[in-house]
Amino acid sequence: MTALLDLAALAFATILAHECGHALAGLLNGMRCDLLIIGPFCLRRVRNRLKPSWNRSLLLAGGAVLMLPSDDCNLRRRITWMVAGGPLASLGLAAAGYAIHRALGQSAASQLCWFTAILSAGIFLATAIPSHIGLPSDGLR
């Protein structure tokens, strides 16, 4: 049972890292975060503040972020970086998880890092490859 909880927590953390990658890239490119969804959790901008709420959409349960630009200057470049931020964060987490796994040798922490690397690499591949299953993937955008 503990292993299942560990995997669920790792899955949540890898999705969180991916969506935060989008948000960070958007913020660095002059955008404002209006919506951040990870699983059942949601942060939604209400009266200029992000307020927690529940995500009621199964379509968005895998995570979503809505970033709005402050102006239209270099908009294509800024949106490209914001969209790429998620897959890049997933790829970075996969690389870090793998490197830590290799450095720790055989231990429980090493195995958690290995699973983190695998999950993050899977999210990277699933989002970077252009596809249109449900919503358009990051790679398609």
Side-chain angles (χ1 to χ4, degrees):
M1 183 66 161
T2 303
L4 279 172
L5 290 176
D6 288 344
L7 285 176
L10 285 177
F12 181 83
T14 57
I15 293 169
L16 177 66
H18 179 91
E19 298 306 332
C20 286
H22 285 303
L24 178 60
L27 291 171
L28 292 173
N29 281 283
M31 297 180 183
R32 144 185 123 193
C33 184
D34 271 19
L35 180 70
L36 177 66
I37 297 173
I38 295 100
F41 305 108
C42 178
L43 289 175
R44 184 181 315 273
R45 185 167 299 278
V46 178
R47 289 188 219 108
N48 214 25
R49 298 183 75 184
L50 288 174
K51 302 259 181 166
S53 64
W54 296 108
N55 171 31
R56 290 173 169 65
S57 171
L58 286 177
L59 181 63
L60 299 177
V65 66
L66 173 64
M67 303 295 295
L68 297 178
S70 55
D71 58 49
D72 62 356
C73 183
N74 297 317
L75 195 54
R76 181 176 292 232
R77 178 191 58 80
R78 292 164 55 204
I79 289 174
T80 299
W81 277 110
M82 186 274 300
V83 170
L88 290 173
S90 293
L91 185 60
L93 185 58
Y98 179 73
I100 295 169
H101 162 73
R102 297 281 299 179
L104 291 178
Q106 294 297 324
S107 68
S110 171
Q111 294 306 309
L112 287 176
C113 291
W114 176 244
F115 287 128
T116 300
I118 290 170
L119 288 172
S120 293
I123 289 173
F124 168 76
L125 289 173
T127 60
I129 295 171
S131 68
H132 196 287
I133 300 171
L135 297 172
S137 70
D138 296 334
L140 188 61
R141 290 180 197 178

